[in-house]
Structures are given as C-alpha cells and as structure tokens.
Amino acid sequence: MTNEIDALYSASRRVGQITIIGCGNLNRSDDAVGVIIAQRLQQYLAKHPHPHLQVYDCGTAGMEVMFQARGSKQLIIIDASATGSEPGAVFKVPGKELEALPEPTYNLHDFRWDNALAAGRKIFENDFPQEVIVYLIEAANLGFGWELSPVVKNSADLVFAEIKAMIEQGVSG
C-alpha cells in the first residue's frame, strides 16, 4: 500500500516543480511577513498561472513545510528574522546553511521550517528539494498586531517584486 501511495504521490507532482512557502504568525506584526508575501504571490498567480509553481502559506507549521516541499525541485521559504540586524534588512540565504535537526520533543510546535529542511532531506531523500533559498526579513516589531511596520512592509514589497520577476523570467533562485 505504501508503494502505491508513493507512486500516486510522485505521479501527481510535476517535473521541475517549484514550491514557495511563506511562514509566520499573522497575529504578531512583522512575524507575518512571510505569510503576507505568500498570500500576495497566490493572488498574483491566480491572475497569471504558472504550471510548475505552487505557493503555500504554512504559518508556523514546520511539518506542513516539510510535506508541501516534498517532490519539488526547488524550494523558496520566506520568513521574518530577529537577529538584531537593522529592521527591514533582507537576507537571501542558501537553505543548507540554516537547516537544523530538531531537538527531541513531544511538541510539534517546536518543529520549525529549519527543522523541516533537515528532516525532510533525511526522510524523503531524493524526493526533497536540493535547491533551497530562504528569504529572511529582519523584524522591527514582533508584538501582537495585524500590521507590518513600515520598514518591513517596504522590504516585503522588494522581496515580492524579486520573486515575481523570477516567476516572469521562468523561476530560478
């Protein structure tokens, strides 16, 4: 049964599939930036479909990131960061530099997208994207709220425009 499910799953994925995933919490101001960019990309793709591209809002669910990325050739993750850098700074980082195996726990809330990269590669092996790019936007405000700070909104517009240009040029990180 498992082989049949895997065969059906693999057949449903397109060759050369690119997956874009936005992460974050819509209730925590700038932490929502990845989700907001993903939602904007979904709206754009509704009007300008691309046959080999899928976009997901995975919120804070690391397991969702792992399963949505499976079968893709390339993965782009977008999230907020809190490194102490200048608010609004944009970092474009190879996923290999950020992936980390999860610490043993019984709480799935502790399983983040960086854990999903390491675990997905280990579990799914060749059925997990080898090309991973992560966009991190430095947050100015991670408190409760539904609005992005102006500096992070500006950076979100820049990242959206860069990814939209990649889509229009045929997508390559």
Side-chain angles (χ1 to χ4, degrees):
M1 183 72 147
T2 301
N3 288 339
E4 292 172 17
I5 292 170
D6 284 344
L8 286 171
Y9 177 83
S10 295
S12 72
R13 291 291 195 156
R14 295 183 180 102
V15 175
Q17 187 73 31
I18 295 124
T19 299
I20 300 172
I21 296 176
C23 297
N25 184 337
L26 285 171
N27 298 313
R28 300 296 299 242
S29 299
D30 292 340
D31 190 40
V33 70
V35 170
I36 289 169
I37 293 171
Q39 291 172 349
R40 286 181 64 191
L41 288 167
Q42 288 169 333
Q43 292 168 357
Y44 172 78
L45 289 171
K47 295 176 185 170
H48 307 92
H50 191 286
H52 301 291
L53 183 66
Q54 53 194 4
V55 179
Y56 297 103
D57 159 4
C58 288
T60 59
M63 292 296 264
E64 184 78 8
V65 171
M66 185 174 74
F67 288 111
Q68 296 298 358
R70 180 182 182 195
S72 296
K73 177 180 179 261
Q74 183 179 18
L75 173 63
I76 298 171
I77 294 177
I78 311 157
D79 198 6
S81 62
T83 64
S85 297
E86 183 76 24
V90 176
F91 304 97
K92 186 176 177 181
V93 184
K96 287 260 190 207
E97 292 185 24
L98 300 172
E99 66 184 50
L101 286 172
E103 295 293 323
T105 182
Y106 293 107
N107 185 348
L108 287 179
H109 292 286
D110 294 336
F111 190 87
R112 304 174 322 240
W113 62 257
D114 55 337
N115 306 136
L117 295 179
R121 193 171 317 287
K122 189 172 184 118
I123 294 167
F124 300 128
E125 298 175 343
N126 293 331
D127 199 27
F128 200 77
Q130 297 302 309
E131 300 174 45
V132 180
I133 298 294
V134 180
Y135 285 90
L136 296 172
I137 300 172
E138 188 71 15
N141 177 13
L142 294 173
F144 289 111
W146 292 340
E147 300 292 325
L148 295 178
S149 63
V151 68
V152 171
K153 183 183 180 320
N154 183 58
S155 296
D157 291 343
L158 295 173
V159 170
F160 172 81
E162 183 172 321
I163 293 173
K164 181 179 159 207
M166 283 192 282
I167 292 168
E168 291 170 350
Q169 294 170 6
V171 186
S172 69

